[in-house]
Amino acid sequence: MLTAKEFVAKIEADNESLFRAGEMQIKAYYEKNAENKEELIDNFTGRMVNERMNMEEISREVAAAAPGTDPEKLILLSKQAHDEAKHFQFVKEVVEYLSGEKLDMQKAVEAHASRLEQKGAAMIKKYNCNNNPLMLGLYQLLAEGRAARNWGMMAEVIKDPFISSRYAKIAKDETFHATIGRMELEKLCVTQEAQDEINAVINEFRKDLFAITSSKTGTLEESARLMEVYA
C-alpha cells in the first residue's frame, strides 16, 4: 500500500492530462470569442452563478460540521467559503463591465442555476461531498486544482486587464483551495479502504470535470486524446 502522501502525490501527477486538456480548451475558447461580447456575457454569468453555488455548498459544509471537528479545518473551509463569495463578486463585476449595465442578480441566478452540466459545483452533490470528507477532499484537489489552472489560463489569454486581473486573483485562491484538499486527503488516505474508495471514482470524476469544461468550450481533438488515459 502507498503511504497517504505517496497516494495523494500520485493523484496530483495523474491529474496533469485533465489540467492540460482544460487549459487547451479554455485558451481556444477565449481566443475565438475575444470580440463576441454576447457570448462572453453569457459565459461569465454562468461562471458567476457557479461561484455562488460553490459558496453555498462550502458554507453548508461548515454549518453542518460535527461539534468535534478540528477548528483548523473549520477555519480553512470558512476561508474557502469567503473566497468563493469574493469570486462571485469579481465575476459579477466582469459581467457588468462587459454589459455596461447593473446586473439583475435574481434573473441571472434563476437563468443559469439549472444548467448543472456546466457547473463544477454540481460535482459536490453528485459525489456526496457534503456527507463524505474523503469525497470533499477529492473535490477540492481535483475541481479546485483544475479551476486554478483554467482560470490561470484565462488570466493569460484574455487581454482586457479588468478581466484578466480578476481571474489571476481567483486562480491564486483556487490553488489554495486545492491545497486544503491535499492536506485533508493526506490525513484521510491512511488505509487501503480509503484509497480504494477514491480509486473507484476518480477517473469518472476527472471525466465529469472535463465534460463540464467541454459543455461550454467544445472539445478539441488534442484535448480528447489527452483524456484517453482515464478510459
Side-chain angles (χ1 to χ4, degrees), residues 69-98:
T69 302
D70 185 344
E72 183 63 28
K73 179 178 180 179
L74 294 177
I75 290 169
L76 291 172
L77 287 174
S78 296
K79 183 184 184 310
Q80 182 175 349
H82 179 257
D83 288 344
E84 304 294 359
K86 286 193 309 179
H87 301 169
F88 178 41
Q89 174 65 23
F90 286 160
V91 189
K92 174 179 179 289
E93 291 170 356
V94 168
V95 174
E96 292 181 337
Y97 169 74
L98 287 169

Side-chain angles (χ1 to χ4, degrees), residues 180-231:
I180 298 174
R182 180 190 307 117
M183 293 166 56
E184 192 67 11
L185 289 179
E186 287 177 348
K187 294 176 183 176
L188 296 172
C189 294
V190 294
T191 66
Q192 189 62 57
E193 289 76 15
Q195 294 182 16
D196 288 346
E197 184 175 349
I198 284 181
N199 285 332
V201 301
I202 192 166
N203 281 345
E204 181 183 1
F205 208 133
R206 288 170 174 140
K207 288 186 282 189
D208 283 344
L209 290 170
F210 179 68
I212 287 168
T213 300
S214 300
S215 69
K216 192 60 179 173
T217 65
T219 304
L220 300 174
E221 288 185 13
E222 188 175 352
S223 61
R225 285 196 295 271
L226 283 172
M227 291 298 297
E228 289 174 0
V229 299
Y230 305 125

Side-chain angles (χ1 to χ4, degrees), residues 132-195:
N132 186 335
L134 200 59
M135 290 298 108
L136 179 62
L138 184 62
Y139 171 84
Q140 289 172 308
L141 189 63
L142 264 63
E144 304 287 3
R146 158 188 162 273
R149 293 280 289 269
N150 281 359
W151 307 164
M153 178 57 71
M154 287 173 65
E156 180 180 325
V157 74
I158 295 173
K159 303 306 179 186
D160 188 308
F162 184 92
I163 301 174
S164 63
S165 64
R166 281 156 176 76
Y167 268 89
K169 293 176 183 176
I170 294 174
K172 183 178 179 181
D173 287 342
E174 303 292 16
T175 300
F176 169 70
H177 301 164
T179 300
I180 298 174
R182 180 190 307 117
M183 293 166 56
E184 192 67 11
L185 289 179
E186 287 177 348
K187 294 176 183 176
L188 296 172
C189 294
V190 294
T191 66
Q192 189 62 57
E193 289 76 15
Q195 294 182 16

Side-chain angles (χ1 to χ4, degrees), residues 90-135:
F90 286 160
V91 189
K92 174 179 179 289
E93 291 170 356
V94 168
V95 174
E96 292 181 337
Y97 169 74
L98 287 169
S99 69
E101 301 174 352
K102 187 169 180 59
L103 185 65
D104 183 333
M105 292 296 300
Q106 186 72 28
K107 181 179 178 182
V109 170
E110 289 177 354
H112 281 264
S114 62
R115 301 185 195 178
L116 295 181
E117 75 282 359
Q118 297 177 2
K119 303 289 186 289
M123 295 299 96
I124 293 176
K125 293 184 182 298
K126 177 174 179 178
Y127 290 94
N128 195 31
C129 298
N130 287 129
N131 298 307
N132 186 335
L134 200 59
M135 290 298 108

